Structures are given as structure tokens and as C-alpha cells.
Amino acid sequence: MTHNADLAARRTAAVPRGIGHATTIYAARAENAELWDVDGKRYIDFAGGIAVLNTGHRHPRVQAAALAQMNAFTHTAFQVAPYEPYIALAERLNALAPVTKPAKTLFLTTGSEAVENAIKIARAYTKRDNIIAFSGGFHGRTALTSALTGKVVPYKKGLGPAQAGVYHLPFPVEAHGVDVADTLKMLDYLLRADIAPDTVAAIIIEPVQGEGGFLITPPELMRALRERCDQHGILLIADEVQTGFGRTGKLFAMEHYDVKPDLMTMAKSLAGGYPLSGVVGRAEVMDAPELGGLGGTYGGNPVACAAALAVLDVIEEEHLLDAANRQGDKMKARIEALSRRNDIVPISALRGLGGMIAFDIVSERGGFAPDAATTKAVTTRAQDNGLILLSCGVFANTIRLLCPLTASDSVLEEGLTKLETALTARP
Ligand code: PMP
């Protein structure tokens, strides 16, 4: 038995089946955009730990900052003996985040926890309960965030009643037959038929839906949502957990829009592989919950905060926003050329912002019908060929590329060649 197979057998016996795996490999070590499994096989990593590694695996600057903090102290609880790295990181993010100033930042541990807290803060500030989210959106797997997530299977089915006060609008996607006018019409229906506007605390939206299929929120929708929010005293929450920290060619994806959110959630690439999440927002809104209403034992762990400060330095000093745009352009050019070839599986809707690139696998060239089986076959072939590749999308037929923005040109090219091989239709 290989080490991978041995661990798979032990995993099956020891860990519940409910955690899905994108690959069948077990990690042994990793560096920048490369990963080696326990059998010694090398992979190019186009998953980046699901958008966590914009600065790559084990960036030396991030490692050094984390190590220095580990040698000082690893945990005190911010509620017991607070520390500078938390405050310094909040100060930097308050200055950088595209929210109305003055801003304040709260740190937590997971993306779901950031979303939970953004909702709590919005409810405390507005003194209202209802929340509007979008179909296909993903905000987490906790009890509240799975209610916000716009997909029933596997996130909600059989897992108990969804929290009351959560409503969904259809997200505009051409391939799903919904446009911005449809979405706004449904918003008006919802506010007339189900919930009075003055009972809505917030609208939460991902600037680019991540798990839902790398679908970009049209600027006219974002603008219209901001207008409706202002009209009715509703807060706009941008969930930047997947889009943040340079992935889209800006530090935050909301910088692609001409309106600002009131609150923004972040996690994943914030701390380059250490568990850290946050909520940033207008100070007045962030200060709404009572003393003791926010926090958590591990929230804003000092090692993770030190790592995050280094991540921000790396993004700036290594010009990773430019790198994201260059990476995305290369990926798009290569995939665009591939899409015209007859020996490649039918692909459509190549899209993306910066280095957040995706395309769909469809059953017929020029069509929209999703082909989830072929998509699975492509990610499996990629793994066989030494490429870690993720799918996503409400129909499980989207291939998404989340390569570290620090990847060298040669590793990126090698990965794209492996992608080409994986997409080559077998006779
Ligand atoms: N929001 C978005 C946009 C996400 O992509 C995710 C994770 N994929 C989450 C929230 C939840 O984050 P976590 O898994 O860290 O709880």
C-alpha cells in the first residue's frame, strides 16, 4: 500500500465522511506553488489551500514573522492580555480597506466566524433582524452562515432548520437565465411581499462568488444595491473571504466597484496559511455591539496577526497586485487558445478578475449545459498528472484557478501545460 492509500484507509476509519476531499493525496511538504505528497510525488498547486495562499506556501517573510512571534508568546487571549500585532494589523487594514473612514477591525479565526460577526454587528447597529443574501453565494457552514449560503445540498439538507430572517435573491448569471433587472425585480417583490425594508439589517454579497463559480457581481447590481441600502437604512456587507488580499488584482475586490460596503469580511489569504479572519467596517457600525458582545478565545491569535502583517508587506513589496493581473492574463490567453481546439473538452465562459480565473465545462461546444462528470474527470486527470486543481459552481462544472501569486513564471507555465493535458479529451 502507498502512504497515500494507507492514510486514506485510516482517514476513512477515524474521520467522518462529511468532509469532502478535492484530491486523494496526503500532503507531506510544500513550498510556494509546489506541494509534495507522502509518496514523494510533486504537484503544482492551483488550489492554494482554497484561496489561502496568495503569498504561497511558507513564504520566508511570513514564516519568519510567525516564528518571531512564537518565540515571544503564542496565546494570551486578546480579552485577557491584548497585544500590539492585533492592533497594528487593525490599523493597517483600517487604512487599506475600501470602507468609509474612520474604520475599525475585529479579528476572529474562520471565514464563517467573520460572517457571523458581521451579521451580529449589522443587527446590533440597525436594531433589525432580516438579512438578504444571494443564490449560489457561499458564506460558510456554521448554523447561521449555512442559512446565508445559497445552496441546499450539501450545506443545509438534513442539518436542521435554517436560522429565521434569511432571504435569498437570484444572482444574475447569463447561463442561468437571470439578469440584473430580474434580480432587482425580485428584490422589490421581496420588500413588498415578505419583509418590510425597515426590518432588513443587511444585504450580504460576494463581489465575486467563490464557491458559487467565480461569478463576478455586475457593477450595476452593486451600485443598485448600495442605492437601495441607502434608501432604506440597510447595511451592505461585502464578503471578501475568498476575493481578498490581491487575488483579483486589487487588495480587495470591492476596489473594482464605485461604491463602498459598510462592512467587509476577510479571511483565507489574510494570514498566509495561519487561521485568521476579520470584519472591517465603519467605526460607528463596528462599535454597535455592547462590551463583551464580540470576541472569542482564539480570535486574532498573535502568531496569525504577525503572519498577516508580513503578508501585507509581501503583497506590497513583491508587487503581487501586478502579479495577479499578469498571472490572470497568462491564464486567460492560454485557456482562450485551448478553447478553440477540437481535442479539448468543450469549455465556455472563461472569466475572472486578476488572478481569480475560471471557466465552465459544458456538454457541447458553444452550449451552456453543465457537464459535472467531465469536470470531475478533468480534476482527476490533473491530479494524476501532478496538478492540484479545484472545481466549484452550483452545477459543479466550473474549474477555478487559485495559484499562489508568488508562483514563478516557469511553475505557472508548467501548471498550465498540465491543465492543458487534463483538458485534452481522451479518444
Ligand atoms: N465566505 C466565503 C466567500 C468563502 O469563500 C468561505 C470559504 N470558502 C467562507 C465564507 C467560509 O470560510 P471558512 O471556511 O473559513 O469558515
Side-chain angles (χ1 to χ4, degrees), residues 50 110-113 115 138-140 206 211 239 241-242 267-268:
I50 325 183
T110 67
S112 303
E113 217 187 341
V115 173
F138 186 90
H139 301 290
E206 294 159 89
E211 303 304 312
D239 184 348
V241 166
Q242 191 148 166
K268 294 195 184 270

